Amino acid sequence: MESSDRILARARTAVLIPCYNEELTIADVVGRFRAELPDAEIYVFDNNSTDRTAAEAERAGAIVLPVGQQGKGYVVRFMFQHVEADIYVMVDGDGTYPAASVHSLIAPIINNQADMAVGSRLHGQSQSQFKFLNRFGNKLFLSALNSIFKVRLTDILSGYRAFNRKLVKSLPLFGGGFEIETELTIKALERGYRIVEVPIDLSERPTGSSSKIRLVRDGMRIIHTILALFRDYKPLTFFGAMGLIVIAAGFVPGLIVVFEFIETRFISHVPSAILAVGLVISGMLLVMVGLILHTITRRFQELNYHLQALIGEHRDNRKQ
Ligand SMILES: Nc1nc2c(ncn2[C@@H]2O[C@H](COP(=O)(O)OP(=O)(O)OP(=O)(O)O)[C@@H](O)[C@H]2O)c(=O)[nH]1
Ligand SMILES: [Mg+2]
């Protein structure tokens, strides 16, 4: 087996840092990653910062690329499309993630044990300094995601990740804001990519540097993303559960009418009867929609599998 050092020496590694007004910390972040990964290309994606972020990043030796459309999600999509490398590391520009952990983060990618490695701030072995609300929100989204998608992850919102090229170039991402991390995790899971979590310790933002998260707005966007992906990737569970609830609700007026009919051979609660029929038919319709979408999703998954196999074959042919 080839040693991971030798593989790393040959692989092109890119460190990607999305940034919005991080003049206080960006030079330090670039410097630390340069020290840990001397051969890597370090890119800073400046998203209309109004402070000296771009100048500071350039001074520290990073390649600075401006991105016009505002939002972390747009920036992640831009960098995945435009940066060519074999191993990708993504990290925040606020200096809260430890650069020294980058080696344990990229190890599973180099050794081909994972397609995405996530620096987990909530792992049993992590000692993270989290703000109370952020920790609470994180746990809430996590339990929703773990139960819907039947996985056991400990951090879905982490901004410190490593990827291989295959994943970066094949995930279709649409989110524009902070929901991008949720989208990355769910879409990678659904496509069968291997995800591992590596414990990391989160530190606090230094004083004077301000958070870009707006709890209500970004929280709503993340909930919306989880629900939309639930609908798209688990349609039978999503529509089926709704359908069963509506059918069960139809039983309440329905049973009143049935009991009355058994007792008196007569129906006086006509509105209840109409309501019951309406609810049961609507519920059945929802279950049917779930079944149809489930079949279509399955077929698309098969199609996607063949497509990936074809792309792999094409790549192998070109290498020869
Ligand atoms: N390119 C770009 N980057 C952004 C934008 N908003 C935030 N970022 C960057 O995304 C990273 C994460 O944002 P943070 O504000 O640190 O969010 P967080 O890490 O969840 O929360 P705190 O660290 O507690 O503030 C930082 O490097 C930001 O500079 C944006 O609109 N565009
Ligand atoms: Mg941060």
Side-chain angles (χ1 to χ4, degrees):
M1 269 273 288
E2 211 173 355
S3 82
S4 47
D5 284 346
R6 287 217 358 232
I7 300 177
L8 183 62
R10 215 180 39 227
R12 290 169 302 162
T13 308
V15 178
L16 315 173
I17 316 178
C19 258
Y20 176 58
N21 288 349
E22 304 287 6
E23 64 177 0
L24 219 59
T25 46
I26 186 62
D28 188 44
V29 174
V30 173
R32 282 170 197 256
F33 276 90
R34 163 77 55 240
E36 297 294 338
L37 298 172
D39 296 325
E41 302 265 27
I42 302 186
Y43 296 85
V44 168
F45 297 85
D46 178 37
N47 210 189
N48 311 312
S49 294
T50 51
D51 64 2
R52 294 181 37 77
T53 299
E56 285 291 312
E58 221 152 70
R59 186 177 64 80
I63 303 165
V64 181
L65 298 173
V67 184
Q69 207 163 6
Q70 192 69 49
K72 187 174 179 185
Y74 293 115
V75 175
V76 171
R77 284 155 55 179
F78 179 90
M79 56 200 209
F80 278 14
Q81 268 167 17
H82 291 91
V83 176
E84 303 300 333
D86 302 309
I87 298 165
Y88 296 79
V89 176
M90 175 171 96
V91 68
D92 288 0
D94 60 0
T96 52
Y97 291 108
S101 304
V102 73
H103 304 286
S104 53
L105 197 67
I106 59 176
I109 308 291
I110 296 172
N111 299 327
N112 196 20
Q113 288 159 342
D115 301 299
M116 168 158 78
V118 180
S120 170
R121 306 158 294 177
L122 293 161
H123 196 279
Q125 291 160 25
S126 303
Q127 291 180 333
S128 291
Q129 289 160 357
F130 249 112
K131 280 180 272 180
F132 171 74
L133 270 176
N134 287 15
R135 183 181 287 267
F136 176 75
N138 235 297
K139 292 243 164 163
L140 197 75
F141 296 138
L142 202 67
S143 44
L145 188 114
N146 277 343
S147 54
I148 292 171
F149 292 95
K150 308 220 167 34
V151 285
R152 290 173 69 182
L153 299 173
T154 62
D155 191 352
I156 50 160
L157 302 177
S158 173
Y160 196 13
R161 295 170 188 236
F163 317 94
N164 60 18
R165 184 181 171 82
K166 192 169 75 178
L167 183 139
V168 163
K169 295 296 178 191
S170 70
L171 274 196
L173 301 170
F174 303 111
F178 281 113
E179 66 277 26
I180 196 76
E181 279 97 2
T182 315
E183 202 187 352
L184 259 172
T185 298
I186 298 178
K187 289 194 170 168
L189 278 173
E190 276 306 305
R191 280 168 179 72
Y193 284 119
R194 299 158 301 165
I195 301 182
V196 297
E197 290 190 320
V198 177
I200 53 137
D201 302 334
L202 185 79
S203 42
E204 271 181 76
R205 267 179 180 274
T207 35
S209 145
S210 61
S211 177
K212 312 298 174 309
I213 288 257
R214 296 228 296 270
L215 234 50
V216 175
R217 183 200 62 182
D218 294 314
M220 294 304 283
R221 289 180 74 154
I222 294 168
I223 292 175
H224 178 258
T225 302
I226 294 181
L227 283 179
L229 293 171
F230 181 22
R231 179 200 60 205
D232 294 347
Y233 289 136
K234 302 263 175 228
L236 188 56
T237 321
F238 185 83
F239 289 102
M242 277 205 295
L244 290 181
I245 292 170
V246 174
I247 291 173
F251 270 64
V252 179
L255 285 177
I256 296 173
V257 175
V258 170
F259 283 132
E260 187 195 18
F261 184 74
I262 291 172
E263 267 178 27
T264 64
R265 295 272 140 201
F266 195 74
I267 294 172
S268 63
H269 297 90
V270 177
S272 297
I274 295 172
L275 181 66
V277 171
L279 284 174
V280 171
I281 290 180
S282 306
M284 282 164 61
L285 213 63
L286 281 168
V287 175
M288 292 306 293
V289 166
L291 272 172
I292 294 168
L293 289 176
H294 174 78
T295 311
I296 295 177
T297 313
R298 274 289 139 89
R299 300 293 300 198
F300 266 107
Q301 277 170 346
E302 280 174 24
L303 205 66
N304 191 41
Y305 176 84
H306 292 308
L307 203 64
Q308 291 303 329
L310 217 63
I311 292 170
E313 223 169 274
H314 178 66
R315 199 184 303 125
D316 292 345
N317 283 345
R318 277 218 319 212
K319 268 189 203 153
Q320 282 165 13

